[in-house]
Amino acid sequence: MIEAVNRQRKIKIDTKAWETFAERAAHAIGKIDSSATVAFVSDQTIRQLNRQFRGTDKATDVLSFPAEDELNLGDIAISVDTAAAQAKENDLTFENEVAQLILHGLLHLSGYDHETDNGEMNRLELRLRRKLGI
């Protein structure tokens, strides 16, 4: 089960719709019985998380916090401010950008790391985007 929570007030978020999408994405990755949480946050909050956990004092679009549990993948934080700006910059809808960020976060929670895997995560992510219609 994927739970989506809205921890910001700037953009209206349909948490139920994002839970449904995240479930589909997790199934596409092969994580059928796994749980995770997707938190929609502000730039200020994600900057604090990025500083605290990665030592980087700036806002980012998505952060993943893997759990050390087979059934609980972990948590994903998505900045709605950064997602909205990136969507505009890349001529995408906000929904398309968030869908990409959820998929990206779930792949990280599943053990993929685009910084060390010679493009494996990127290739899989592109294939799954097509499969999921994003």
Side-chain angles (χ1 to χ4, degrees):
M1 179 182 125
I2 308 282
E3 179 183 19
V5 294
N6 185 18
R7 298 290 182 251
Q8 57 80 48
R9 292 183 285 230
K10 192 171 192 174
I11 297 175
K12 184 170 173 46
I13 298 292
D14 183 345
T15 56
K16 293 298 176 202
W18 288 119
E19 287 172 353
T20 300
F21 171 78
E23 288 277 348
R24 284 183 46 233
H27 287 194
I29 294 169
K31 301 295 182 179
I32 295 168
D33 292 322
S34 298
S35 65
T37 300
V38 178
F40 294 94
V41 300
S42 66
D43 263 357
Q44 178 182 352
T45 298
I46 210 156
R47 181 179 182 173
Q48 290 171 330
L49 291 169
N50 206 14
R51 182 175 51 242
Q52 180 179 352
F53 292 101
R54 297 184 67 230
T56 303
D57 190 18
K58 68 175 191 171
T60 188
D61 52 2
V62 60
L63 291 172
S64 301
F65 301 96
E68 295 186 16
D69 182 329
E70 241 178 77
L71 295 179
N72 178 15
L73 296 175
D75 303 317
I76 299 167
I78 295 174
S79 168
V80 298
D81 302 312
T82 299
Q86 287 177 173
K88 186 175 182 177
E89 180 180 308
N90 295 312
D91 200 26
L92 299 171
T93 65
F94 175 75
E95 291 74 18
N96 191 283
E97 181 70 19
V98 169
Q100 289 180 38
L101 295 174
I102 289 173
L103 176 60
H104 188 84
L106 286 170
L107 285 169
H108 276 302
L109 294 183
S110 299
Y112 293 92
D113 185 354
H114 53 81
E115 294 181 9
T116 62
D117 69 5
N118 294 319
E120 179 185 359
M121 179 178 167
N122 187 50
R123 287 188 296 276
L124 177 58
E125 185 172 346
L126 292 173
R127 212 169 33 249
L128 290 172
R129 282 184 192 181
R130 287 189 296 275
K131 182 177 183 176
L132 293 166
I134 55 174

